[in-house]
Amino acid sequence: MEPKPEPAEQALTELRSKSSFFIYNPYEKRTVEVPLTNCDAFISLLKCVIGTGILAMPLAFRHTGILMGVFFSVLLMILLTYSIHLLIAGMTECCRRRRVPQVSMPEAVQIAYELGPKWVHCFGRTAGLLTTCVLVFGQFGLCTVYLVFVAKNFKEIGDYYGGQCNERYYVLGACVLLLPLFMIRRLKYLVPLNLVSNFLLYGGFTFIMYYLFSGLSSPSERLLTSTPPREWFVFFGIASFSLTAVGSMLVVEANMAHPQSYLGMFGVLNVSVFFILLSNIFFGIMGYWRFGQIVEASITLNIPQNEILSQLIKVFIATGIFLSYPLNGFVAITVIFSDYSEATEKGKYHTLLEYVVRISFLLLTGLVAVGVPNLAALTELEGAFSLSNLNLLCPALIDIFLNYDIGYGRLRWKLIRDLLLIVVGLVFGIVGCTLAMKQLLDDFRMTLKHM
């Protein structure tokens, strides 16, 4: 008969089996077919985040004033970055518990539910499926915003040279041109596309400085803080759009050659986010200062329509956003196939099925963009929905359930933190999505009335 282990030794064994930190490092076991270098990851991460969100920041600042806009921008960026760190840490812990090299976000949610209290075990599979739907819907909304943005900007140029034309035709044209690019199935091969896109975007951002710095009014004519609190929810919806590409961020981390370099004080994520924060504040202040209460959902729609420089800016930025679609669509396709890709990877029709899903995704985003081409409302809805669900609720729930057996620290500070994230996520999600949906429904009624 084997001797019974000592209580202290048994407790240590149980702790090691729960965290698996001492006996399993998922980063050492992870293999990627075509890995990204840290530089590739940085470029792809900027491509995921910088785009229509930064161009909508002046509209966000219009709803808060300059001082409150800067304060809320910093607060929001800290909150979202912290929650992404919490999410990736939770997913890594799920890998250790299950001793697998990698898990998707839906799989991490399912594992967390299965490791939490007994009464939530039965909801694990359903929670994982719902997370998949939320991720896909978030990327779907992001890609729809991109199509509307591209159509609106090219329409202004087309109207000047060729006469009035419904912007819905530009949406359909963008979908046709995107078809071959969206068929690229490897993230590594999208890096050159992302590099060109970044070059075009920053070229357009550089040229647009001319219009931002010319004709500035007196600072006293712009609001600093005097906006009602109800307007703040609109700010958070628009501003969070620029850092709600959680699915894209996770895909980039999952495809890195050295994923341990992603987090940390000077990791790829923090450096990218700091750069994005400075860009958001700069464009928010200058765009609102220049155009004031007449600022549009994108400042490219405020610059003149009949000047060569302004047209060049619109072409550069709209083309850069156009080239961003394949990467963000890639994330949605990855999420759709992640849960059962191993079972179908060697299947005879796997590649064909993926192409069918890609074409369907592109067509559906085009149809929604044709039906409700309200750029501001779509941006606000996507930001509010993704912020509440992916950036706040999911990381908090994963952390609560993973720490259920091993404790929440002194004074249960981890539990308090997670509950606060859940409350903030629910309040913001309900209010923000309600305001955005109201705008979209009003816009859709107007569309039906003019058909």
Side-chain angles (χ1 to χ4, degrees):
M1 185 174 180
E2 295 183 1
K4 189 174 181 180
E6 295 294 328
E9 182 181 350
Q10 186 176 2
L12 180 61
T13 302
E14 290 178 358
L15 179 61
R16 289 180 176 179
S17 66
K18 287 173 181 175
S19 67
S20 301
F21 178 79
F22 302 97
I23 56 178
Y24 190 85
N25 184 353
Y27 293 144
E28 294 178 352
K29 308 295 182 179
R30 184 179 298 181
T31 57
V32 181
E33 185 177 345
V34 188
L36 301 175
T37 64
N38 288 355
C39 182
D40 291 340
F42 179 77
I43 292 171
S44 297
L45 195 56
L46 290 182
K47 183 80 262 45
C48 292
V49 178
I50 290 183
T52 56
I54 192 174
L55 297 171
M57 285 304 293
L59 178 63
F61 271 61
R62 193 188 79 182
H63 290 281
T64 59
I66 293 176
L67 293 181
M68 293 302 293
V70 173
F71 173 74
F72 284 149
S73 294
V74 174
L75 181 65
L76 183 63
M77 209 64 80
I78 292 174
L79 176 65
L80 298 188
T81 306
Y82 181 79
S83 67
I84 293 170
H85 277 259
L86 186 65
L87 174 62
I88 294 177
M91 292 175 64
T92 304
E93 182 61 23
C94 287
C95 293
R96 291 175 180 141
R97 301 279 185 99
R98 288 290 190 257
R99 300 182 185 181
V100 294
Q102 204 167 15
V103 295
S104 65
M105 188 174 177
E107 289 170 337
V109 171
Q110 181 174 344
I111 292 171
Y113 269 75
E114 292 171 352
L115 294 173
K118 289 184 178 180
W119 63 271
V120 301
H121 291 183
C122 59
F123 300 110
R125 192 173 184 83
T126 302
L129 179 61
L130 288 175
T131 305
T132 299
C133 295
V134 169
L135 272 170
V136 173
F137 182 80
Q139 294 302 126
F140 182 90
L142 189 63
C143 291
T144 303
V145 170
Y146 283 178
L147 285 177
V148 174
F149 178 88
V150 170
K152 284 185 178 294
N153 281 274
F154 277 114
K155 179 184 184 301
E156 291 212 335
I157 300 174
D159 287 352
Y160 179 74
Y161 286 104
Q164 294 289 329
C165 181
N166 195 308
E167 73 180 62
R168 291 170 175 81
Y169 292 116
Y170 287 92
V171 172
L172 296 177
C175 289
V176 172
L177 294 176
L178 274 170
L179 188 58
L181 298 178
F182 196 45
M183 295 300 105
I184 298 175
R185 302 176 57 241
R186 291 288 181 264
L187 182 60
K188 179 73 174 180
Y189 302 141
L190 288 175
V191 170
L193 205 64
N194 298 334
L195 193 59
V196 173
S197 177
N198 282 341
F199 172 79
L200 291 172
L201 285 173
Y202 285 110
F205 293 159
T206 302
F207 291 144
I208 208 171
M209 300 297 175
Y210 170 78
Y211 292 102
L212 291 182
F213 284 96
S214 61
L216 288 173
S217 62
S218 171
S220 60
E221 297 180 14
R222 300 293 178 246
L223 295 174
L224 293 179
T225 59
S226 56
T227 57
R230 182 179 180 276
E231 298 286 313
W232 297 353
F233 286 98
V234 180
F235 170 88
F236 282 114
I238 296 174
S240 61
F241 179 83
S242 65
L243 198 64
T244 54
V246 177
S248 302
M249 293 177 177
L250 296 179
V251 167
V252 170
E253 189 268 348
N255 284 272
M256 287 180 66
H258 305 287
Q260 59 270 25
S261 303
Y262 193 68
L263 301 180
M265 181 64 71
F266 298 102
V268 174
L269 178 63
N270 282 5
V271 173
S272 302
V273 165
F274 181 73
F275 187 80
I276 293 161
L277 174 62
L278 294 180
S279 302
N280 280 0
I281 292 176
F282 174 79
F283 273 90
I285 292 175
M286 296 307 302
Y288 175 59
W289 186 5
R290 172 63 180 84
F291 298 109
Q293 295 301 310
I294 64 171
V295 68
E296 297 280 353
S298 169
I299 52 175
T300 57
L301 302 177
N302 282 104
I303 61 179
Q305 190 176 3
N306 58 348
E307 297 181 12
I308 297 297
L309 179 59
S310 65
Q311 293 169 359
L312 185 64
I313 291 171
K314 292 176 183 180
V315 169
F316 268 43
I317 295 180
T319 305
I321 297 298
F322 174 84
L323 295 177
S324 302
Y325 187 104
L327 175 61
N328 288 282
F330 175 90
V331 175
I333 302 303
T334 300
V335 171
I336 291 172
F337 282 91
S338 62
D339 291 334
Y340 54 91
S341 59
E342 292 184 1
T344 61
E345 188 68 39
K346 297 181 181 179
K348 185 177 179 180
Y349 300 106
H350 173 79
T351 303
L352 177 61
L353 177 61
E354 182 175 335
Y355 282 134
V356 170
V357 172
R358 285 175 176 271
I359 294 172
S360 301
F361 182 89
L362 178 60
L363 291 177
L364 286 174
T365 54
L367 288 174
V368 174
V370 167
V372 282
N374 186 325
L375 184 59
L378 284 172
T379 302
E380 184 184 343
L381 176 64
E382 161 60 17
F385 180 83
S386 295
L387 172 69
S388 61
N389 288 283
L390 302 178
N391 289 76
L392 298 175
L393 294 181
C394 281
L397 288 172
I398 289 174
D399 191 70
I400 284 177
F401 294 147
L402 287 180
N403 288 304
Y404 176 73
D405 285 338
I406 61 178
Y408 297 104
R410 189 168 184 173
L411 299 178
R412 296 196 170 190
W413 70 271
K414 292 182 180 179
L415 180 62
I416 295 172
R417 171 199 62 192
D418 295 336
L419 291 176
L420 285 175
L421 288 176
I422 291 173
V423 171
V424 172
L426 288 174
V427 172
F428 179 78
I430 292 172
V431 177
C433 290
T434 301
L435 293 174
M437 284 300 299
K438 184 178 182 301
Q439 294 182 52
L440 287 175
L441 289 174
D442 292 341
D443 191 67
F444 186 64
R445 292 192 189 99
M446 292 296 294
T447 300
L448 293 177
K449 187 180 294 184
H450 289 89
M451 287 181 65

